[in-house]
Amino acid sequence: MRKTIKNRFFLIALSLLLLIGLTACSSPESKSETIEKAPKTETKSETKTEKKTETKSETVKETPQNITNEELPNVSIIATGGTIAGVAASDTQTTGYKAGEVAIETLLDAVPEVKEIANITGTQLVNIDSSAMTNEVLLNLAKEVNKQLASDSVAGIVITHGTDTIEETAYFLNLVVKSEKPVVLVGAMRPSTAISADGPLNLYNAVAIAASPDSKGHGVMIALNDKIGSARDTTKLNTTAVNAFDSFEYGDIGNVQGSKPYFYNKPSRIHTSESKFDISNVTELPKVEILYGHGNDSRVLVDAAVKGGAKGIIHAGTGNGSVFPETQEGLVDAQKKGVVIVRASRVATGMVTHEATDDTNKFVSSDSLNPAKARILLMLALLETSDPVKIQSYFNNY
Ligand code: SIN
């Protein structure tokens, strides 16, 4: 009897041990997942602290990679943040993440292949969401680009950037960079942590463009989704899709296939070394506001812009740059106070034609520049003059 009880106790203990063992074995995945995720969160908050310092100080940090192959061109990468450096909580999260989180070293680690086509030097200028881009950063970036391109050893420059304002920064550089060497802006629509993140291949393509002698003389370029667009004509068309950028009726200037850029078009408007705009001694850009036209509009925002110290106003009008009557009165009054008025359009394609009424009102028409790019050109034009006739000639030629 005692023996039977002992045996039963032994059997129960054995079953319990087996059960514990089985439970432990059945959930190793969820356990290791939690373990894997935990350090990810830690890394994220560590990066966040780093990011803040970088953004605030905006200091330029050189990060030479330990690769020097005399036969390869030297490409400098200047990192400014954006989704390409964005981090999400999971690999399926493609919206609502934080842009401008990971540093340039991490971006480069994701594409070791770039070292096979160029000697890379990295500079972290800022690490921001590009919706937070300021004129101060634009000026610092342009000066850094001009400084680096002046060196014979630099073949080309890649700038990593958020896609939200990449076209504005690209167009600004297109007007103030004093070199024929390639300058390529690159971003991504999916954060670096996403499944099928588009950043690594975009970055690889951008380096391939910057490294190629064929890329010289095309002005500043935007490299996304295998396409090469000109800074002037490329614009963001979709809020979230990977193929978010296009150049509408003016067309892309080329594409990248298998590490090689192929060019089909050359931008015809003045850019880079031919441009008259020089920011080498500029520390501040004139304030230019963009106002969005709509039915039942008013002059409230025009008057507020003038009161706020705007030196120029871009009016993103309806259709061919049309303006609501009361808003028009506000713009005419603003012009009489010396504010330069540019009629642009909220419509995605087509030009805003110059009309006889523009001459009467002393207004400028935006040609085919969208309102965001018209702001860039007007800021630079205002460094030179506030004469609407002269400024119109810039809009006709740049
Ligand atoms: C940004 O512009 O910084 C965020 C969005 C993006 O890069 O796609």
Side-chain angles (χ1 to χ4, degrees):
M1 175 75 174
R2 259 180 118 184
K3 212 175 169 189
T4 325
I5 291 173
K6 220 174 167 186
N7 279 347
R8 271 200 194 149
F9 180 75
F10 178 73
L11 276 172
I12 290 169
L14 193 68
S15 317
L16 269 173
L17 276 173
L18 266 171
L19 197 67
I20 292 167
L22 276 173
T23 321
C25 288
S26 67
S27 56
E29 273 162 29
S30 49
K31 261 194 184 164
S32 69
E33 226 178 66
T34 328
I35 290 164
E36 257 176 41
K37 274 183 187 157
K40 264 192 195 162
T41 327
E42 276 163 29
T43 318
K44 199 179 161 191
S45 60
E46 270 168 24
T47 325
K48 235 186 226 168
T49 331
E50 266 174 37
K51 190 206 92 172
K52 266 190 190 148
T53 329
E54 280 160 13
T55 311
K56 264 190 191 160
S57 66
E58 287 172 14
T59 46
V60 176
K61 280 194 225 156
E62 294 284 329
T63 315
Q65 309 295 300
N66 26 346
I67 358 137
T68 341
N69 180 340
E70 302 272 292
E71 280 162 27
L72 293 180
N74 299 326
V75 170
S76 162
I77 302 183
I78 303 177
T80 70
T83 292
I84 194 167
V87 171
S90 78
D91 52 10
T92 50
Q93 190 186 348
T94 53
T95 61
Y97 53 86
K98 258 198 100 48
E101 286 285 290
V102 303
I104 185 166
E105 292 83 359
T106 316
L107 292 185
L108 287 171
D109 284 349
V111 216
E113 295 84 357
V114 291
K115 295 168 191 168
E116 289 158 22
I117 54 173
N119 296 312
I120 305 290
T121 310
T123 303
Q124 187 81 50
L125 187 76
V126 285
N127 206 356
I128 56 173
D129 187 310
S130 80
S131 56
M133 185 54 66
T134 61
N135 289 349
E136 190 189 351
V137 177
L138 282 185
L139 286 168
N140 289 343
L141 176 61
K143 288 173 187 170
E144 180 63 22
V145 169
N146 277 330
K147 187 183 93 188
Q148 293 194 14
L149 289 180
S151 160
D152 287 344
S153 65
V154 176
I157 293 194
V158 168
I159 298 160
T160 59
H161 198 289
T163 63
D164 284 357
T165 61
I166 197 170
E167 62 189 275
E168 290 160 66
T169 301
Y171 187 50
F172 182 74
L173 295 174
N174 197 50
L175 299 174
V176 300
V177 164
K178 300 289 169 210
S179 174
E180 292 279 297
K181 293 180 191 173
V183 175
V184 188
L185 278 91
V186 63
M189 292 299 293
R190 292 179 182 147
S192 65
T193 44
I195 301 172
S196 293
D198 49 336
L201 184 56
N202 284 348
L203 182 56
Y204 179 80
N205 285 346
V207 171
I209 301 165
S212 169
D214 296 351
S215 308
K216 280 187 180 170
H218 286 91
V220 173
M221 294 164 274
I222 298 177
L224 283 154
N225 208 29
D226 295 346
K227 299 197 287 188
I228 309 170
S230 79
R232 185 186 185 280
D233 300 327
T234 302
T235 193
K236 193 171 191 178
L237 284 177
N238 191 290
T239 50
T240 54
V242 172
N243 64 339
F245 283 78
D246 206 350
S247 311
F248 295 125
E249 53 258 77
Y250 310 111
D252 298 320
I253 56 174
N255 58 55
V256 187
Q257 300 297 335
S259 318
K260 189 175 158 36
Y262 294 84
F263 290 98
Y264 300 94
N265 297 311
K266 264 202 161 174
S268 58
R269 293 299 178 98
I270 304 172
H271 59 76
T272 55
S273 41
E274 300 295 317
S275 168
K276 79 184 307 293
F277 301 112
D278 180 2
I279 49 80
S280 50
N281 294 316
V282 175
T283 52
E284 208 178 327
L285 292 166
K287 197 177 173 66
V288 173
E289 301 284 4
I290 301 176
L291 304 181
Y292 194 91
H294 55 89
N296 203 43
D297 206 349
S298 74
R299 58 179 292 161
V300 172
L301 294 181
V302 180
D303 295 337
V306 176
K307 207 166 161 216
K311 300 285 176 268
I313 292 175
I314 309 293
H315 182 266
T318 49
N320 187 8
S322 301
V323 187
F324 187 77
E326 188 190 318
T327 317
Q328 172 81 6
E329 284 169 22
L331 292 175
V332 168
D333 289 347
Q335 194 288 322
K336 286 182 181 147
K337 288 181 182 152
V339 178
V340 176
I341 310 298
V342 175
R343 275 194 319 112
S345 177
R346 66 181 203 180
V347 179
T349 55
M351 71 185 291
V352 172
T353 54
H354 195 78
E355 302 298 335
T357 45
D358 288 322
D359 295 330
T360 322
N361 294 325
K362 299 197 170 83
F363 285 1
V364 174
S365 51
S366 74
D367 194 281
S368 58
L369 285 182
N370 69 23
K373 296 193 202 205
R375 183 186 78 94
I376 297 292
L377 180 54
L378 183 54
M379 287 193 301
L380 289 168
L382 284 166
L383 291 172
E384 302 280 321
T385 179
S386 52
D387 173 6
V389 176
K390 190 92 193 95
I391 293 177
Q392 184 64 60
S393 79
Y394 297 148
F395 274 81
N396 297 343
N397 291 294
Y398 283 85

